[in-house]
Structures are given as structure tokens and as C-alpha cells.
Amino acid sequence: MSAESDLPPNPNPTARSADPSASVGIFDSGLGGLSVLRAVRAVLPHERLIYIADSLHAPYGKKDDDFIDDRTTAICRWLVAQGAKVLVVACNTATAQSIALVRETLAIPIVGVEPGVKPAAAVSKSRVVGVLATQVTLRSARFWSLLERYAGDCRFMLQTGHGLVQAVERCDTSSPELMALLESYLVPMLDAGADTLVLGCTHYPFLDRAIRDIAGERLQIVDTSVAIARQLDRLLDADRLKNDAPADPMPRFCSTADGKSQRQLAASLLHLDATVEHVHIPSRRTSVAESDLA
Ligand code: DGL
């Protein structure tokens, strides 16, 4: 994925007066956004971070549009209520479906993510590029508009990553079942001459090693977490929201589920021994189901 190609101007002038020492709020349907959080920590080490995984409701990639709108809006509102000065929707699916709605509803600068079609078209030599993403992302108007603008003479092979988000959510990045699933997606791309693979879902960077084990050096992997962090950096500069004083290096980790996998992945990916707060974020489509669980 990459940061959105055309970042709209901040629609809300009042947000510019927010406190620079406030947190950057990062959201994903689950644990995938941790790959973005890792890049944000590297590029912006002074920022306080709050990460929320809606793991109770992941994956979003097969849900209906209204469900994704409902959850994305509820979670973004919650981050604003926690005092976030800016939001990163670190989820291609939520960006594709709901970012326009959230921007209409919330008066806060927002960075979204989208599959790295543009960088892939720039680097592919064979002019065949594979894209792995969720069903919602691949069918979205935003994604098709990216292809129209940037695919050029490249052939893009689109593959829904059925089962991959669920595997990462249970911290499975190397089981024989996962490897077989990944092979079934990657081998047809390799056979067709693809030399570049776009990771169009923030969960998939966790599968980097598994992809390498299957494809070796035959596929260049386009993972643009760092581009997203740089986009955030530019936005904070433009809105004079950058925190210049060193902040607590430990992000605040929150989850709508029990947080066990988040803790495990934070340890292996970020080398952070984090505690994860369980939070309850009701929304129109889930409040009944969640109260049943309580
Ligand atoms: N990390 C999310 C994305 O980038 C996964 C979506 C899902 O939950 O299916 O699309």
C-alpha cells in the first residue's frame, strides 16, 4: 500500500490549533496497522502514538459497505475522543470504503492508505505486477481509479488474499496451510511473468518472509509503510502539529478483542513488551452483538 496519492487539504481550520503534544491515532481492522505504526515510530520518533485494532470485528475485507462505514466512523470518533490530533487509517479496506465519509464527518486531519500501484508501475521491468488485497479494496472505485491513473502499460493481476488476514490475526505467518494458500496466489503470478508484488493490505507485510520463501528474489515487494509515515510527517509539518519534544516511546495499544495476538505481534515485530488495553467501542451495527457477549 502507499499513502494516498492526492492528499486533500485539511478541511477543518480549527484542527490546526490542536496541541502538538497530543497523540497520533492509528487504526486498523486488526493487527495489520502495526506495520504502519512501526514505520511511523521510525520516521517520527517524538510522536505519542495510540493504536486501536478492531480485532473483534476483523476481517473487514468481506463485510458489507455499511458495516465498514459504521465501524470506521465509530473507531475514528473514539480516537478523537482520546485526544488524537491526527488520524492514520492504516487499513486499505477502510480507506477504500470509508475515508471520504470520515473526512466529511470529523474535523481532524486524516491520512489514509492505498495499494502501491504507482510505485509498482514505476519499478516493474517485466510490466506484469501482482496485487494482493482484500475483496473490498479490489472492488472499490478508489482502487480502479488508481489503476486508471498509474497502471500505464503494466498488466496488473489482481488476487484477493482470502484467509491471509485471519492467519495474521492468529499470528500464523509460516504454517504449512498458510504457505499452501500463499503459493496458490503467487505461483500463477510468477508463471505469468510478474516481477513485482503489491501488498495491498497492511496485514501482508507480516508475510514478507513467507512470500520470500516461495518467490525468492523473483518478486520485488512493494510495501509502502514508510511512504505513509512520510506523508504523515508532511501533514504534521503543514498543520504545525509536530511534537518536537521527546515523547514516551511506548505507544498506547488498544484492542476491541482480548489483545493477546496484538501483544504477541508487538513483541515479535516491534520488539515491544506492550500491554494491550481492552476497549469497548459500540456502534450502530455492533452494539447489540457486543452486549450479547458481555
Ligand atoms: N489491514 C486491513 C487492510 O489493509 C485488513 C482488512 C481486513 O480486515 O480484511 O485492508
Side-chain angles (χ1 to χ4, degrees), residues 5 44 49 99 136 139 142 146 183 193 204 239 269 278:
S5 332
L44 292 158
L49 306 178
I99 202 163
V136 169
R139 70 161 191 246
R142 287 179 73 95
L146 271 183
E183 253 180 58
Y204 301 166
D239 283 358
L269 180 80
H278 172 74

Side-chain angles (χ1 to χ4, degrees), residues 28-30 32-33 58-62 90-94 113 134 137 165 200-203:
D28 182 37
S29 59
Y60 282 8
K62 283 174 150 181
C91 176
N92 290 263
T93 307
V113 300
T134 69
T137 299
V165 166
C201 170
T202 52
H203 280 72

